[in-house]
Amino acid sequence: MNNLPTIGKYHFMAEPFHCDFTKHLFIGHLGNNLLNAADFHSNERGYGVNYLNTINKTWVLSRLAIELDEMPAIYEKFTVETWVDSVMRYFTNRNFKIADEDGRVYGYGKSIWAMIDTETRQPVDILKVDNQTILKYIETNYDNPIKKSSRVKLDNNLILQKSIIANYSDVDINGHVNSIKYIEHILDLFPLEWYKQHTIRKFDIAYITESHNDETLKFYTDKKIETGNEEVAIQITKSSSEGEIEVCRCKITFV
């Protein structure tokens, strides 16, 4: 295990039923590929969920930013490289590089992860787990051109676009609504005609509070979504006895 490189490289394919009507990979499936690569990389190096679950801990995604020049087309094989460039007390920064098998780059990703206790759902000091194994695999010399994300700004005049109730297929192994399911629901806010003329260049989402099965989620945008706006901010809330609580917020840039 100690001989493994700091950077992991994993192979995928744009399978036909993971592609949209343009015959390119759904961004949700690309997101799953990134998260799978992160899981493979951390498990192989001894600080993934396979080990963490034995001590009632797990990783949860706090933020994900993806910037794309293009998406893999149907049946294209591609690779995801992933590496961690910094670890703090409660968060760690993980990077992604998406390219075809000849090295042509599709895009990059940046993510922030937190470690939590699976019983209390509270943050865990990463540096107190397993003798700081993660620090053996820090990589600071591999380039990722994505700039550090700033907080997505929202005004007070948000437009309610839809409400849904979280159900079985939304909930993952951690018992809460899956990170990628939020992305899929957000992308469904835009009509099919929009995607005939636009592609996603940037997608930046910050996860703030967990949501669970049977909770009502409301989706708001900062502007109308069918009037040529190529940068849209979105907020998702859930209903509670104290009113609406913010679950996540994101910004999408189309071209």
Side-chain angles (χ1 to χ4, degrees):
M1 188 180 296
N2 291 332
N3 295 324
L4 290 174
T6 54
I7 301 168
K9 186 174 183 178
Y10 305 95
H11 297 265
F12 301 93
M13 185 178 75
E15 300 176 38
F17 297 107
H18 291 170
C19 294
D20 65 12
F21 70 95
T22 71
K23 297 185 179 180
H24 290 82
L25 192 66
F26 276 113
I27 195 169
H29 281 290
L30 177 62
N32 279 323
N33 294 144
L34 301 186
L35 301 195
N36 282 330
D39 183 61
F40 300 153
H41 181 267
S42 58
N43 277 326
E44 290 168 356
R45 287 154 183 77
Y47 59 87
V49 294
N50 285 345
Y51 165 70
L52 292 178
N53 283 172
T54 68
I55 56 171
N56 299 317
K57 308 289 188 294
T58 193
W59 290 109
V60 293
L61 185 60
S62 178
R63 188 151 191 171
L64 177 63
I66 303 172
E67 295 188 11
L68 299 163
D69 291 323
E70 58 181 305
M71 288 288 283
I74 188 169
Y75 292 115
E76 282 187 344
K77 295 179 180 179
F78 62 97
T79 63
V80 174
E81 291 180 272
T82 184
W83 67 100
V84 173
D85 65 16
S86 65
V87 178
M88 295 153 282
R89 186 178 180 185
Y90 294 116
F91 296 98
T92 184
N93 292 311
R94 177 176 287 279
N95 300 268
F96 303 97
K97 178 181 178 180
I98 308 113
D100 69 13
E101 292 197 318
D102 296 323
R104 179 171 58 96
V105 177
Y106 294 113
Y108 291 85
K110 274 187 178 291
S111 60
I112 301 174
W113 297 76
M115 189 182 292
I116 65 168
D117 187 290
T118 55
E119 295 180 351
T120 67
R121 312 305 290 181
Q122 295 302 307
V124 172
D125 187 339
I126 297 169
L127 299 177
K128 291 183 177 180
V129 174
D130 194 34
N131 298 315
Q132 302 182 349
T133 296
I134 191 173
L135 294 182
K136 300 175 183 177
Y137 299 102
I138 302 301
E139 175 58 62
T140 59
N141 295 316
Y142 202 49
D143 183 50
N144 184 340
I146 296 182
K147 296 180 181 179
K148 183 178 179 180
S149 299
S150 58
R151 181 176 172 82
V152 175
K153 296 180 180 179
L154 296 167
D155 58 33
N156 295 320
N157 299 311
L158 298 177
I159 303 167
L160 177 63
Q161 298 292 347
K162 72 173 181 180
S163 298
I164 67 167
I165 297 175
N167 288 309
Y168 160 77
S169 61
D170 294 309
V171 179
D172 65 15
I173 60 173
N174 288 319
H176 58 209
V177 174
N178 179 268
S179 304
I180 303 302
K181 286 294 183 177
Y182 291 116
I183 295 175
E184 292 176 346
H185 288 307
I186 287 168
L187 296 178
D188 284 344
L189 295 175
F190 300 85
L192 193 66
E193 290 299 319
W194 178 261
Y195 292 106
K196 291 180 180 180
Q197 302 176 43
H198 300 83
T199 58
I200 297 169
R201 174 58 54 85
K202 299 179 182 179
F203 193 102
D204 185 358
I205 184 166
Y207 302 95
I208 298 163
T209 305
E210 294 180 323
S211 62
H212 303 88
N213 184 56
D214 284 337
E215 290 188 321
T216 298
L217 302 177
K218 294 183 178 180
F219 294 74
Y220 295 89
T221 60
D222 67 339
K223 53 180 70 77
K224 293 181 179 180
I225 59 177
E226 296 182 31
T227 56
N229 293 302
E230 294 178 340
E231 187 172 277
V232 182
I234 298 104
Q235 181 188 53
I236 303 175
T237 68
K238 67 177 182 179
S239 301
S240 75
S241 58
E242 300 176 356
E244 291 185 43
I245 298 173
E246 185 175 41
V247 172
C248 61
R249 62 172 64 187
C250 82
K251 182 169 68 175
I252 311 175
T253 301
F254 294 94
V255 291

